[in-house]
Amino acid sequence: MALAARIALLVVLVAELMDILDQSVVLTALPSIQESTGAGPAALQWLTTGYSLPVAVGLITGGRLGDLYGRRRLVLIGTVVFTTASLLCGLAAGPGVLIGARALQGVGVALMIPQVLATLHVTFEGQNRSRAYGLYGAVLSIANVLGPVLGGLLTEADLFGLSWRPIFLVNVPVGLAVILLGRKFIPESTARKADRPDLTGLALSALAIVLIIFPLTEGHLHHWPLWCFALLAAGLLTLAAFLRHQQRKQDNAPLVPLSLFQGRQFTGGTAAQLMHGLLCGLFFMTWTLYLQRGLGMSAVHAALAFVLLSFGELAGATIAAKSAGRFARRLPQTGALITIAAMAGYGLQAAAGQADLTLLGMTTPVVLIGFGLGMVSGPLADMSLARVPHEDAGVSSGLFNTAMHLGIALGTALTALVYFATTDGSPDAGLNRDAFITVLWWVGGLLALMWALMFCLPKHPNSHND
């Protein structure tokens, strides 16, 4: 792999790192943000959902725009928007401005992130592509846990008396570096045939996602009024209208080429990615609340728990990267089974130990949870996207990333039903412990579904390569 290609790989992976980092960086800072801004339970949910929702809405469009107008160009534009929004987050005085700035971050991510997998797909071939996807999986694994760790450490450090604000301000120099290096080293690529974007499809897909996610997020807070079910029904109807529109547009530059879903490899892999996002959205937000409210840990001690998980994830992702596709679907499926077993063990341990559970005591199940999850991300992306035509690399990457972010948004919304329905926002330790034990069984069920969906991936090594 040439030096320029390695630098380009580093730059796009740092862009991906910023996205996942900011998905989770607020988790360990939530109590401090609530205290300093006066945010209620609804606002706390929207600090994560307000970020995930515009990402989920815009990723497909961002991917197609990259296909049409240049993937490097969209990386740079998205990074500019994201970096500016991060500065606004760091300067926000109240929850309303902070949520709005988080939404703007999501817009930047929607433009930037689909280009990451698309650039890997069109730039690398064969074993180099599998290794690149393996590194992508390692970055996801590190970022998922580095975010809460960084959030806890920066919040506890209270740099310059800024409390939680540096968790966002740190993005500014990193974003500037991505912009400068990206202009020089990321190769530009577009679809061979550049058509005008499908504006009707864009509007229908965005509206469908909003109509589905919004009532799921707000329903519990308003005791599930009739308008929530009306919006859900409208969202499903809009989704049906979108699919019908795409069928009619298949010969005239559709937003989503439905031919992508004809093979079970992409369809099953994308569905597995949706389950992956859903369980992450449900687990990570409730875990940090359990550690701090259920077990009485400080933000720093909670961050150390995420460090334990990160060691496991890094080990699992390293194995996945070094295997470079040799084990096909057996590798991510083994990771899912390890995670299921570890989640079950953690649930039994939490139920037996209750308030006496220590950081040292939970080390084994937490490390194994991370190890199993680390074996999933890279191989899942590699095998799901391997047979996608280059001209559809952006939109397929957008769809695959949409599944992850939509899953995270749904998982965060599901916390209202699974976690907050029990605690009702109370700091009571017993309530928070009981709610989290329930969450673990839900997560185990989602992992089992993800494992089953991965049977759609190739059975034999190297059969997924172009």
Side-chain angles (χ1 to χ4, degrees):
M1 191 184 298
L3 178 61
R6 292 183 179 183
I7 296 175
L9 175 61
L10 175 64
V11 173
V12 295
L13 290 181
V14 169
E16 182 72 39
L17 177 68
M18 288 195 300
D19 164 35
I20 304 300
L21 201 65
D22 265 67
Q23 187 71 243
S24 58
V25 75
V26 300
L27 294 179
T28 44
L30 285 176
S32 296
I33 292 173
Q34 185 175 30
E35 182 179 346
S36 67
T37 64
L44 289 182
Q45 251 184 264
W46 275 100
L47 285 177
T48 51
T49 304
Y51 178 88
S52 298
L53 185 56
V55 175
V57 168
L59 278 170
I60 299 173
T61 300
R64 179 51 85 190
L65 291 176
D67 288 338
L68 300 182
Y69 300 115
R71 291 155 190 144
R72 181 183 65 184
R73 179 181 298 176
L74 266 293
V75 167
L76 298 178
I77 292 172
T79 305
V80 169
V81 174
F82 179 85
T83 304
T84 303
S86 296
L87 179 61
L88 293 176
C89 285
L91 299 176
V97 175
L98 182 56
I99 291 170
R102 288 281 286 169
L104 186 61
Q105 278 187 315
V107 172
V109 166
L111 298 175
M112 175 174 62
I113 293 307
Q115 322 316 323
V116 173
L117 288 177
T119 299
L120 299 185
H121 185 66
V122 302
T123 303
F124 301 101
E125 298 291 340
Q127 291 297 307
N128 282 337
R129 179 189 292 174
S130 291
R131 291 190 184 98
Y133 278 117
L135 290 172
Y136 165 83
V139 166
L140 290 184
S141 301
I142 293 169
N144 274 327
V145 292
L146 182 60
V149 171
L150 189 63
L153 293 177
L154 290 177
T155 300
E156 194 77 10
D158 193 21
L159 298 174
F160 308 108
L162 294 174
S163 184
W164 50 269
R165 299 178 189 279
I167 69 176
F168 298 112
L169 296 176
V170 71
N171 290 325
V172 176
V174 178
L176 291 175
V178 168
I179 293 166
L180 294 174
L181 293 174
R183 286 188 64 188
K184 183 175 178 61
F185 292 103
I186 298 176
E188 185 61 282
S189 60
T190 59
R192 287 191 294 268
K193 181 182 178 183
D195 297 298
R196 296 177 63 183
D198 176 12
L199 296 179
T200 302
L202 184 161
L204 286 172
S205 66
L207 182 60
I209 293 172
V210 170
L211 289 173
I212 291 170
I213 294 293
F214 184 79
L216 288 175
T217 304
E218 294 291 300
H220 171 69
L221 299 172
H222 300 281
H223 306 290
W224 295 104
L226 183 60
W227 62 261
C228 285
F229 297 100
L231 287 180
L232 282 170
L236 294 175
L237 289 174
T238 305
L239 180 61
F242 167 73
L243 293 174
R244 178 62 178 163
H245 173 74
Q246 295 304 286
Q247 282 183 322
R248 292 198 300 265
K249 290 275 293 183
Q250 285 308 292
D251 296 325
N252 187 24
L255 178 65
V256 176
L258 297 182
S259 58
L260 289 172
F261 295 97
Q262 290 178 353
R264 70 174 193 168
Q265 186 167 329
F266 178 76
T267 303
T270 302
Q273 181 77 335
L274 177 67
M275 294 299 106
H276 189 193
L278 213 165
L279 68 91
C280 285
L282 178 59
F283 176 72
F284 285 111
M285 183 175 181
T286 56
W287 191 37
T288 188
L289 293 172
Y290 162 73
L291 292 173
Q292 294 183 68
R293 293 179 178 175
L295 298 180
M297 292 185 181
S298 67
V300 170
H301 280 92
L304 291 175
F306 279 91
V307 170
L308 290 176
L309 194 139
S310 72
F311 283 138
E313 282 211 75
L314 186 57
T318 300
I319 289 175
K322 288 185 176 181
S323 70
R326 285 178 291 169
F327 300 103
R329 73 187 184 204
R330 286 177 292 173
L331 183 65
Q333 283 189 311
T334 299
L337 291 175
I338 290 172
T339 310
I340 290 172
M343 285 283 184
Y346 194 26
L348 293 172
Q349 185 186 53
Q354 291 293 323
D356 298 325
L357 187 59
T358 64
L359 195 60
L360 181 62
M362 67 177 72
T363 296
T364 299
V366 167
V367 170
L368 286 175
I369 288 169
F371 183 78
L373 290 175
M375 294 172 66
V376 171
S377 298
L380 181 57
D382 183 17
M383 286 180 277
S384 299
L385 301 176
R387 292 183 177 174
V388 170
H390 281 194
E391 58 266 25
D392 294 325
V395 70
S396 62
S397 173
L399 285 164
F400 189 77
N401 278 289
T402 295
M404 182 66 170
H405 284 273
L406 182 57
I408 290 172
L410 287 169
T412 305
L414 192 59
T415 61
L417 297 174
V418 182
Y419 193 88
F420 289 121
T422 299
T423 67
D424 198 26
S426 170
D428 180 78
L431 287 176
N432 280 273
R433 290 194 297 269
D434 291 343
F436 180 68
I437 291 168
T438 301
V439 165
L440 288 178
W441 302 119
W442 278 76
V443 171
L446 293 170
L447 281 162
L449 281 175
M450 183 176 74
W451 172 82
L453 287 165
M454 285 191 286
F455 277 104
C456 296
L457 301 177
K459 180 179 181 181
H460 301 289
N462 300 318
S463 65
H464 64 285
N465 289 328
D466 289 334

